[in-house]
Amino acid sequence: MEFGRNGPDQWQILKPKTLRADSTQVEDFLGRLKDAEMDPTLSDDVAKQYTTAFASAPVVATATVTDPSGQQKLEVHKLKDDYYAKSSAVEGVYKLTAADLTKFFDKKLEDFRNKKIFDFGFTDPSRIDFKDGAKTISVEKSGENWKSSGTTPGKTMDSVSVQALIDSLRDLAASKLVDAGFTTPAISITVISDQGKRTEKVEIAPAGKDFLARRDGDSTLYELDATTVQNLRTSAGDVKEQQPPEPAKKK
């Protein structure tokens, strides 16, 4: 697997093919590589044992990290239950004792793929267009308020109900990833965020008892269970206009 950074704390899978990456998983792995330490107090005899074990054991992982200063490489061999590592940054062979690093050696490509439907994360959108059959919602941020747009523009919307829809979209994640089966879309969603720099378009279609989502420009299909889609529809259905304050009661 090969990963490339495409923004602050943002990663993309480059090999075996270009795919969206779960940046949290990649950052976690990178952090554990950074924290891997050697024991500089090894005796000559122990150092010799490690070197012999490393030479006789098969390779289980190789990590190559590239930054502006160049490349560094960590090669890991495994003998029985022990991991031995050799780094291009230091001389010698050392035993890896950090289970939180070695557990990553068993991870598959699927573990590093992004199952979230939307990428806007904790950046609040500036516009949302949601169409579900005859139901259409178009809202746009205006200062501190949300305003309706589309066929009935300019109405102030209830910010709590809009925020609930944003939370539903932010949390929308696939139960698994598939390559085929998308039919006629029932729901279309466009989310604009990052001060207008990011536009994400998603369509959701029924697939048996569940649903499949696809992102514009992405060949991956994201399977969503029926409950998840129903919760999304409920959040969209709850979006409403802001109600005027009740008049003060006369004493």
Side-chain angles (χ1 to χ4, degrees):
M1 291 175 277
E2 182 176 324
F3 307 96
R5 189 188 294 276
N6 57 5
D9 299 328
Q10 295 295 315
W11 292 88
Q12 184 176 33
I13 297 170
L14 302 178
K15 292 180 180 178
K17 62 180 180 178
T18 303
L19 296 165
R20 295 170 68 224
D22 183 338
S23 295
T24 301
Q25 285 289 328
V26 181
E27 282 288 324
D28 189 13
F29 179 47
L30 187 60
R32 294 176 196 279
L33 279 175
K34 288 179 181 178
D35 293 340
E37 295 181 344
M38 64 180 185
D39 180 0
T41 62
L42 296 180
S43 67
D44 290 342
D45 286 343
V46 172
K48 208 174 279 186
Q49 290 174 18
Y50 287 179
T51 300
T52 301
F54 182 87
S56 64
V59 179
V60 292
T62 302
T64 303
V65 181
T66 306
D67 66 10
S69 65
Q71 284 189 345
Q72 293 186 24
K73 181 178 178 181
L74 181 72
E75 185 174 319
V76 181
H77 295 202
K78 183 180 181 183
L79 185 64
K80 296 182 180 178
D81 294 327
D82 294 323
Y83 292 87
Y84 299 91
K86 186 175 183 180
S87 168
S88 61
V90 292
E91 292 293 330
V93 172
Y94 300 89
K95 183 185 283 189
L96 276 180
T97 57
D100 55 354
L101 172 60
T102 57
K103 73 175 185 180
F104 276 91
F105 301 152
D106 295 324
K107 284 188 176 288
K108 306 292 190 294
L109 178 67
E110 194 76 6
D111 298 317
F112 288 101
R113 293 184 67 180
N114 191 348
K115 294 182 176 65
K116 287 277 189 179
I117 307 301
F118 288 96
D119 283 335
F120 65 84
F122 292 103
T123 303
D124 276 345
S126 55
R127 182 182 174 99
I128 301 170
D129 293 304
F130 184 100
K131 181 172 175 49
D132 182 5
K135 183 173 183 59
T136 301
I137 299 168
S138 292
V139 292
E140 194 163 8
K141 196 72 182 284
S142 176
E144 295 299 315
N145 298 318
W146 284 94
K147 299 282 188 179
S148 63
S149 56
T151 56
T152 56
K155 294 182 179 180
T156 302
M157 306 301 289
D158 176 62
S159 60
V160 174
S161 63
V162 174
Q163 187 60 53
L165 175 59
I166 291 172
D167 291 342
S168 292
L169 294 171
R170 178 181 286 126
D171 294 340
L172 206 58
S175 54
K176 67 177 181 179
L177 306 174
V178 298
D179 297 318
F182 194 88
T183 56
T184 304
I187 302 172
S188 299
I189 310 165
T190 300
V191 177
I192 299 175
S193 60
D194 196 15
Q195 299 178 330
K197 298 174 186 175
R198 179 192 286 122
T199 298
E200 299 180 83
K201 296 182 179 180
V202 170
E203 294 179 319
I204 300 175
K209 62 182 180 63
D210 294 316
F211 291 81
L212 291 176
R214 69 179 178 191
R215 290 168 48 88
D216 191 36
D218 185 353
S219 60
T220 301
L221 298 178
Y222 301 80
E223 186 172 293
L224 303 170
D225 62 62
T227 301
T228 298
V229 175
Q230 183 55 52
N231 291 340
L232 174 63
R233 282 174 156 160
T234 299
S235 297
D238 289 341
V239 173
K240 58 188 178 184
E241 291 181 37
Q242 181 174 294
Q243 299 301 308
E246 293 184 6
K249 294 181 179 179
K250 293 181 180 181
K251 293 183 179 179

